[in-house]
Short mmCIF file of all heavy atoms in Angstrom, two decimals:
data_model
loop_
_atom_site.label_atom_id
_atom_site.label_comp_id
_atom_site.label_asym_id
_atom_site.label_seq_id
_atom_site.Cartn_x
_atom_site.Cartn_y
_atom_site.Cartn_z
N LYS A 11 213.42 -26.57 10.11
CA LYS A 11 213.86 -27.85 9.55
C LYS A 11 213.11 -28.23 8.28
O LYS A 11 213.42 -29.25 7.66
CB LYS A 11 213.65 -28.97 10.59
CG LYS A 11 214.48 -28.82 11.84
CD LYS A 11 214.46 -30.07 12.70
CE LYS A 11 213.08 -30.41 13.20
NZ LYS A 11 213.06 -31.63 14.05
N ALA A 12 212.14 -27.42 7.87
CA ALA A 12 211.23 -27.83 6.80
C ALA A 12 211.92 -28.07 5.47
O ALA A 12 211.49 -28.91 4.69
CB ALA A 12 210.12 -26.78 6.63
N ASP A 13 213.00 -27.33 5.20
CA ASP A 13 213.65 -27.51 3.90
C ASP A 13 214.74 -28.57 3.92
O ASP A 13 215.43 -28.81 2.92
CB ASP A 13 214.22 -26.19 3.38
CG ASP A 13 215.37 -25.67 4.23
OD1 ASP A 13 215.68 -26.28 5.28
OD2 ASP A 13 215.97 -24.64 3.85
N GLY A 14 214.93 -29.21 5.09
CA GLY A 14 215.85 -30.34 5.18
C GLY A 14 217.32 -29.98 5.23
O GLY A 14 218.17 -30.86 5.08
N HIS A 15 217.66 -28.71 5.48
CA HIS A 15 219.07 -28.33 5.45
C HIS A 15 219.80 -28.61 6.76
O HIS A 15 221.02 -28.50 6.82
CB HIS A 15 219.22 -26.84 5.09
CG HIS A 15 219.01 -25.90 6.24
ND1 HIS A 15 217.76 -25.53 6.67
CD2 HIS A 15 219.90 -25.26 7.04
CE1 HIS A 15 217.89 -24.70 7.70
NE2 HIS A 15 219.16 -24.52 7.94
N ILE A 16 219.08 -28.99 7.80
CA ILE A 16 219.72 -29.22 9.10
C ILE A 16 220.04 -30.70 9.26
O ILE A 16 219.18 -31.49 9.67
CB ILE A 16 218.82 -28.71 10.25
CG1 ILE A 16 218.54 -27.21 10.09
CG2 ILE A 16 219.50 -28.96 11.60
CD1 ILE A 16 217.66 -26.62 11.17
N ASP A 17 221.27 -31.08 8.94
CA ASP A 17 221.72 -32.46 9.13
C ASP A 17 222.49 -32.55 10.45
O ASP A 17 222.52 -31.59 11.23
CB ASP A 17 222.58 -32.92 7.95
CG ASP A 17 223.77 -31.99 7.71
OD1 ASP A 17 224.12 -31.20 8.62
OD2 ASP A 17 224.37 -32.08 6.62
N ALA A 18 223.11 -33.69 10.71
CA ALA A 18 223.80 -33.90 11.99
C ALA A 18 224.92 -32.89 12.19
O ALA A 18 225.09 -32.35 13.29
CB ALA A 18 224.34 -35.33 12.05
N ALA A 19 225.68 -32.62 11.14
CA ALA A 19 226.79 -31.66 11.26
C ALA A 19 226.26 -30.26 11.54
O ALA A 19 226.82 -29.52 12.36
CB ALA A 19 227.63 -31.68 9.99
N GLU A 20 225.18 -29.89 10.85
CA GLU A 20 224.59 -28.57 11.06
C GLU A 20 224.00 -28.45 12.46
O GLU A 20 224.08 -27.39 13.09
CB GLU A 20 223.54 -28.27 10.00
CG GLU A 20 222.89 -26.91 10.11
CD GLU A 20 223.85 -25.75 9.93
OE1 GLU A 20 225.01 -25.97 9.51
OE2 GLU A 20 223.45 -24.61 10.22
N ARG A 21 223.41 -29.54 12.97
CA ARG A 21 222.88 -29.52 14.34
C ARG A 21 223.99 -29.24 15.34
O ARG A 21 223.82 -28.46 16.28
CB ARG A 21 222.19 -30.85 14.68
CG ARG A 21 220.87 -31.07 14.00
CD ARG A 21 220.03 -32.09 14.74
NE ARG A 21 220.72 -33.36 14.97
CZ ARG A 21 220.70 -34.39 14.13
NH1 ARG A 21 220.05 -34.29 12.98
NH2 ARG A 21 221.32 -35.51 14.41
N ALA A 22 225.13 -29.88 15.15
CA ALA A 22 226.26 -29.67 16.06
C ALA A 22 226.73 -28.22 15.99
O ALA A 22 227.04 -27.60 17.02
CB ALA A 22 227.40 -30.62 15.70
N ASN A 23 226.77 -27.66 14.78
CA ASN A 23 227.17 -26.27 14.60
C ASN A 23 226.20 -25.32 15.29
O ASN A 23 226.59 -24.37 15.97
CB ASN A 23 227.25 -25.96 13.10
CG ASN A 23 227.66 -24.52 12.82
OD1 ASN A 23 228.63 -24.02 13.39
ND2 ASN A 23 226.92 -23.85 11.95
N ILE A 24 224.91 -25.59 15.12
CA ILE A 24 223.87 -24.77 15.75
C ILE A 24 223.99 -24.82 17.26
O ILE A 24 223.94 -23.80 17.95
CB ILE A 24 222.48 -25.23 15.31
CG1 ILE A 24 222.23 -24.85 13.85
CG2 ILE A 24 221.39 -24.61 16.20
CD1 ILE A 24 220.99 -25.48 13.26
N MET A 25 224.18 -26.02 17.81
CA MET A 25 224.23 -26.16 19.26
C MET A 25 225.47 -25.49 19.85
O MET A 25 225.42 -24.98 20.97
CB MET A 25 224.17 -27.64 19.66
CG MET A 25 222.82 -28.30 19.41
SD MET A 25 221.39 -27.34 20.04
CE MET A 25 221.77 -27.24 21.80
N ASP A 26 226.57 -25.46 19.10
CA ASP A 26 227.75 -24.72 19.56
C ASP A 26 227.40 -23.24 19.75
O ASP A 26 227.80 -22.61 20.73
CB ASP A 26 228.89 -24.86 18.55
CG ASP A 26 229.60 -26.20 18.66
OD1 ASP A 26 229.41 -26.88 19.68
OD2 ASP A 26 230.33 -26.54 17.72
N LYS A 27 226.64 -22.69 18.80
CA LYS A 27 226.28 -21.28 18.86
C LYS A 27 225.20 -21.03 19.92
O LYS A 27 225.22 -20.00 20.60
CB LYS A 27 225.82 -20.81 17.48
CG LYS A 27 226.95 -20.85 16.46
CD LYS A 27 226.48 -20.51 15.05
CE LYS A 27 227.63 -20.57 14.06
NZ LYS A 27 227.20 -20.30 12.68
N VAL A 28 224.26 -21.96 20.04
CA VAL A 28 223.24 -21.84 21.07
C VAL A 28 223.89 -21.85 22.45
O VAL A 28 223.49 -21.11 23.36
CB VAL A 28 222.21 -22.97 20.95
CG1 VAL A 28 221.32 -23.05 22.19
CG2 VAL A 28 221.34 -22.76 19.71
N HIS A 29 224.90 -22.67 22.62
CA HIS A 29 225.60 -22.75 23.91
C HIS A 29 226.22 -21.41 24.28
O HIS A 29 226.27 -21.04 25.46
CB HIS A 29 226.69 -23.83 23.85
CG HIS A 29 227.40 -24.04 25.15
ND1 HIS A 29 226.78 -24.58 26.27
CD2 HIS A 29 228.67 -23.77 25.52
CE1 HIS A 29 227.64 -24.63 27.27
NE2 HIS A 29 228.79 -24.15 26.85
N ALA A 30 226.64 -20.64 23.27
CA ALA A 30 227.25 -19.33 23.53
C ALA A 30 226.26 -18.33 24.11
O ALA A 30 226.65 -17.36 24.75
CB ALA A 30 227.85 -18.77 22.24
N VAL A 31 224.96 -18.56 23.89
CA VAL A 31 223.93 -17.67 24.42
C VAL A 31 223.71 -17.92 25.91
O VAL A 31 223.16 -17.08 26.62
CB VAL A 31 222.61 -17.85 23.64
CG1 VAL A 31 221.54 -16.88 24.11
CG2 VAL A 31 222.85 -17.68 22.15
N ASP A 32 224.16 -19.09 26.40
CA ASP A 32 224.03 -19.45 27.82
C ASP A 32 222.57 -19.47 28.25
O ASP A 32 222.16 -18.75 29.17
CB ASP A 32 224.84 -18.48 28.70
CG ASP A 32 225.00 -19.00 30.12
OD1 ASP A 32 224.86 -20.23 30.32
OD2 ASP A 32 225.25 -18.19 31.02
N LEU A 33 221.78 -20.32 27.61
CA LEU A 33 220.37 -20.45 27.93
C LEU A 33 220.11 -21.30 29.17
O LEU A 33 219.03 -21.25 29.75
CB LEU A 33 219.62 -21.09 26.75
CG LEU A 33 219.70 -20.38 25.41
CD1 LEU A 33 219.05 -21.22 24.33
CD2 LEU A 33 219.04 -19.02 25.49
N GLY A 34 221.08 -22.08 29.55
CA GLY A 34 220.88 -23.04 30.63
C GLY A 34 220.78 -24.44 30.06
O GLY A 34 220.33 -24.65 28.92
N ALA A 35 221.17 -25.42 30.85
CA ALA A 35 221.25 -26.80 30.37
C ALA A 35 219.90 -27.34 29.93
O ALA A 35 219.80 -28.05 28.91
CB ALA A 35 221.84 -27.70 31.47
N GLU A 36 218.84 -27.02 30.66
CA GLU A 36 217.52 -27.57 30.34
C GLU A 36 217.01 -27.04 29.00
O GLU A 36 216.49 -27.80 28.17
CB GLU A 36 216.53 -27.25 31.46
CG GLU A 36 215.23 -28.03 31.35
CD GLU A 36 214.31 -27.77 32.54
OE1 GLU A 36 214.62 -26.91 33.38
OE2 GLU A 36 213.26 -28.44 32.61
N ALA A 37 217.14 -25.74 28.79
CA ALA A 37 216.69 -25.15 27.53
C ALA A 37 217.53 -25.64 26.36
O ALA A 37 217.00 -25.94 25.28
CB ALA A 37 216.75 -23.63 27.62
N GLU A 38 218.84 -25.77 26.57
CA GLU A 38 219.70 -26.29 25.50
C GLU A 38 219.32 -27.73 25.14
O GLU A 38 219.28 -28.10 23.95
CB GLU A 38 221.16 -26.24 25.93
CG GLU A 38 221.78 -24.86 25.87
CD GLU A 38 223.27 -24.89 26.12
OE1 GLU A 38 223.92 -25.91 25.77
OE2 GLU A 38 223.81 -23.91 26.68
N ALA A 39 219.04 -28.54 26.16
CA ALA A 39 218.66 -29.93 25.91
C ALA A 39 217.35 -30.01 25.14
O ALA A 39 217.17 -30.85 24.25
CB ALA A 39 218.55 -30.69 27.23
N PHE A 40 216.43 -29.10 25.47
CA PHE A 40 215.15 -29.06 24.75
C PHE A 40 215.37 -28.74 23.27
O PHE A 40 214.81 -29.42 22.39
CB PHE A 40 214.24 -28.00 25.38
CG PHE A 40 213.06 -27.61 24.53
CD1 PHE A 40 211.96 -28.44 24.43
CD2 PHE A 40 213.07 -26.42 23.83
CE1 PHE A 40 210.88 -28.09 23.64
CE2 PHE A 40 211.99 -26.05 23.04
CZ PHE A 40 210.89 -26.89 22.94
N ILE A 41 216.18 -27.72 22.97
CA ILE A 41 216.44 -27.35 21.58
C ILE A 41 217.13 -28.49 20.84
O ILE A 41 216.77 -28.82 19.70
CB ILE A 41 217.29 -26.07 21.52
CG1 ILE A 41 216.49 -24.88 22.06
CG2 ILE A 41 217.75 -25.78 20.09
CD1 ILE A 41 217.30 -23.60 22.20
N ALA A 42 218.13 -29.11 21.48
CA ALA A 42 218.84 -30.22 20.84
C ALA A 42 217.89 -31.37 20.51
O ALA A 42 217.97 -31.96 19.43
CB ALA A 42 219.97 -30.71 21.76
N ASN A 43 216.98 -31.66 21.43
CA ASN A 43 216.02 -32.74 21.21
C ASN A 43 215.07 -32.41 20.05
O ASN A 43 214.78 -33.27 19.21
CB ASN A 43 215.22 -32.98 22.48
CG ASN A 43 214.25 -34.14 22.34
OD1 ASN A 43 214.65 -35.30 22.23
ND2 ASN A 43 212.96 -33.84 22.35
N GLU A 44 214.60 -31.18 20.00
CA GLU A 44 213.69 -30.77 18.93
C GLU A 44 214.40 -30.80 17.57
O GLU A 44 213.79 -31.15 16.55
CB GLU A 44 213.12 -29.38 19.20
CG GLU A 44 212.18 -29.30 20.38
CD GLU A 44 210.91 -30.14 20.17
OE1 GLU A 44 210.36 -30.09 19.06
OE2 GLU A 44 210.50 -30.83 21.11
N LEU A 45 215.66 -30.42 17.55
CA LEU A 45 216.41 -30.43 16.30
C LEU A 45 216.65 -31.86 15.80
O LEU A 45 216.63 -32.12 14.59
CB LEU A 45 217.76 -29.73 16.48
CG LEU A 45 217.76 -28.21 16.54
CD1 LEU A 45 219.14 -27.70 16.94
CD2 LEU A 45 217.38 -27.62 15.18
N ALA A 46 216.86 -32.77 16.74
CA ALA A 46 217.25 -34.13 16.36
C ALA A 46 216.08 -35.01 15.98
O ALA A 46 216.25 -35.99 15.25
CB ALA A 46 218.02 -34.78 17.52
N ASN A 47 214.88 -34.69 16.44
CA ASN A 47 213.74 -35.58 16.24
C ASN A 47 212.72 -34.99 15.28
O ASN A 47 212.56 -33.77 15.21
CB ASN A 47 213.07 -35.86 17.59
CG ASN A 47 213.98 -36.66 18.52
OD1 ASN A 47 214.38 -37.77 18.19
ND2 ASN A 47 214.32 -36.08 19.66
N PRO A 48 212.02 -35.85 14.55
CA PRO A 48 210.99 -35.35 13.62
C PRO A 48 209.85 -34.67 14.36
O PRO A 48 209.50 -35.05 15.49
CB PRO A 48 210.52 -36.62 12.90
CG PRO A 48 210.89 -37.74 13.81
CD PRO A 48 212.13 -37.31 14.52
N VAL A 49 209.28 -33.66 13.73
CA VAL A 49 208.17 -32.93 14.34
C VAL A 49 206.89 -33.75 14.23
O VAL A 49 206.67 -34.45 13.25
CB VAL A 49 207.98 -31.57 13.65
CG1 VAL A 49 207.62 -31.74 12.18
CG2 VAL A 49 206.92 -30.74 14.35
N ASP A 50 206.07 -33.66 15.27
CA ASP A 50 204.73 -34.24 15.22
C ASP A 50 203.77 -33.07 15.04
O ASP A 50 203.41 -32.39 16.00
CB ASP A 50 204.42 -35.00 16.52
CG ASP A 50 203.10 -35.77 16.43
OD1 ASP A 50 202.23 -35.35 15.64
OD2 ASP A 50 202.94 -36.77 17.14
N ILE A 51 203.39 -32.83 13.80
CA ILE A 51 202.56 -31.66 13.51
C ILE A 51 201.21 -31.74 14.20
O ILE A 51 200.60 -30.73 14.56
CB ILE A 51 202.40 -31.47 11.98
CG1 ILE A 51 201.93 -30.05 11.68
CG2 ILE A 51 201.48 -32.52 11.38
CD1 ILE A 51 202.04 -29.67 10.22
N GLU A 52 200.71 -32.96 14.43
CA GLU A 52 199.43 -33.11 15.11
C GLU A 52 199.51 -32.64 16.55
O GLU A 52 198.55 -32.09 17.09
CB GLU A 52 198.95 -34.56 15.04
CG GLU A 52 198.75 -35.09 13.63
CD GLU A 52 197.74 -34.29 12.82
OE1 GLU A 52 196.88 -33.62 13.42
OE2 GLU A 52 197.83 -34.31 11.58
N ASP A 53 200.65 -32.85 17.19
CA ASP A 53 200.85 -32.36 18.55
C ASP A 53 200.83 -30.84 18.59
O ASP A 53 200.25 -30.23 19.49
CB ASP A 53 202.18 -32.87 19.12
CG ASP A 53 202.08 -34.28 19.67
OD1 ASP A 53 200.95 -34.82 19.71
OD2 ASP A 53 203.12 -34.85 20.04
N LEU A 54 201.49 -30.22 17.62
CA LEU A 54 201.50 -28.76 17.55
C LEU A 54 200.09 -28.22 17.38
O LEU A 54 199.68 -27.29 18.07
CB LEU A 54 202.37 -28.29 16.39
CG LEU A 54 203.87 -28.55 16.47
CD1 LEU A 54 204.56 -28.04 15.20
CD2 LEU A 54 204.49 -27.90 17.69
N VAL A 55 199.35 -28.81 16.46
CA VAL A 55 197.99 -28.35 16.17
C VAL A 55 197.09 -28.56 17.38
O VAL A 55 196.27 -27.69 17.72
CB VAL A 55 197.43 -29.08 14.93
CG1 VAL A 55 195.95 -28.77 14.75
CG2 VAL A 55 198.21 -28.66 13.68
N ALA A 56 197.23 -29.69 18.05
CA ALA A 56 196.38 -29.99 19.21
C ALA A 56 196.61 -29.01 20.35
O ALA A 56 195.71 -28.77 21.16
CB ALA A 56 196.63 -31.42 19.69
N ALA A 57 197.80 -28.43 20.42
CA ALA A 57 198.12 -27.49 21.50
C ALA A 57 197.45 -26.14 21.30
O ALA A 57 197.34 -25.36 22.24
CB ALA A 57 199.63 -27.31 21.61
N ALA A 58 197.02 -25.85 20.07
CA ALA A 58 196.34 -24.57 19.77
C ALA A 58 194.84 -24.78 19.88
O ALA A 58 194.20 -25.28 18.96
CB ALA A 58 196.72 -24.09 18.37
#
């Protein structure tokens, strides 16, 4: 998401393709949530 090219329409397109992989509802919901919300870089860093 860093270059800002993933807007709402692109998120919907991505999720259509992710759904085709059949990851399961929980994993799909996780990806959708991460795509839709801003990243907290401090959380990422704190996990390492």
Side-chain angles (χ1 to χ4, degrees):
K11 296 192 297 180
D13 67 355
H15 81 279
I16 301 180
D17 56 17
E20 181 63 11
R21 287 201 306 270
N23 180 49
I24 289 170
M25 290 312 300
D26 282 345
K27 294 175 181 177
V28 167
H29 184 67
V31 184
D32 193 21
L33 302 174
E36 192 176 6
E38 284 188 31
F40 165 76
I41 294 173
N43 183 68
E44 292 297 317
L45 284 171
N47 294 300
V49 62
D50 188 334
I51 198 167
E52 300 302 336
D53 278 354
L54 294 178
V55 171

